[in-house]
Amino acid sequence: MSSPSIGLTTSNTTATTTTTIAAVSLPFTNDGVAVYKMSRQVVTVYGLWDEWKIGRDGFLSVEELEKKNGEEMIESVIEAVEDLRRDLGLSVLSAIGVLQKAMNTRYWSLDRMGTELQKGTYFPCQETKRRKLQ
């Protein structure tokens, strides 16, 4: 098995490899795929964007982990921020604000926002709805 490409020290077990980055450890499958669970403490669109694009608590961003793992999972809330940027020309912070306001108005959790976006029962703007339903 080849070593994961990130980290300073590596230890092996039967099921996973753990790579330590400073004080942060990530388990890896035998195929070298990082096992990372997104923080359940994140409850705002801004917090989700931060974890997805920048990284939290010393971890790489989820986006970077996805690239390294060769997977194409798209988080629906992050995609909605990108949709607002593309469809309305909003800045990242403005797009985040639109989604956060929608969550607050509807009393939705971040999980509920993601579910509604995935089901196609909520669209961040009419332009996005038209584009996705074509």
Side-chain angles (χ1 to χ4, degrees):
M1 174 194 340
S2 63
S3 300
S5 60
I6 59 174
L8 303 174
T9 59
T10 304
S11 62
N12 290 317
T13 65
T14 42
T16 63
T17 299
T18 300
T19 299
T20 303
I21 308 168
V24 178
S25 293
L26 274 181
F28 284 76
T29 66
N30 285 333
D31 296 328
V33 177
V35 178
Y36 175 79
K37 290 187 179 183
M38 293 186 69
S39 172
R40 294 293 176 213
Q41 296 174 346
V42 173
V43 295
T44 65
V45 177
Y46 181 82
L48 180 64
W49 179 267
D50 190 51
E51 184 173 10
W52 190 271
K53 292 289 190 176
I54 297 166
R56 293 178 46 94
D57 303 324
F59 287 104
L60 293 173
S61 69
V62 174
E63 185 175 55
E64 189 63 30
L65 289 170
E66 293 288 329
K67 285 179 190 173
K68 286 182 181 283
N69 294 336
E71 297 174 13
E72 296 184 18
M73 183 190 95
I74 297 178
E75 178 66 44
S76 58
V77 177
I78 298 300
E79 185 179 356
V81 171
E82 296 290 357
D83 287 341
L84 286 167
R85 292 177 68 205
R86 174 183 33 246
D87 295 338
L88 299 181
L90 298 179
S91 69
V92 169
L93 289 177
S94 293
I96 288 170
V98 166
L99 294 175
Q100 191 65 53
K101 182 178 180 184
M103 280 177 52
N104 295 347
T105 301
R106 292 167 175 80
Y107 301 101
W108 284 353
S109 66
L110 196 52
D111 183 60
R112 173 79 185 270
M113 171 65 86
T115 299
E116 297 298 328
L117 287 162
Q118 286 177 333
K119 290 189 320 188
T121 55
Y122 172 76
F123 294 93
C125 67
Q126 288 301 315
E127 288 81 356
T128 300
K129 183 176 183 178
R130 278 193 290 275
R131 183 171 49 78
K132 291 193 175 205
L133 293 179
Q134 289 181 350

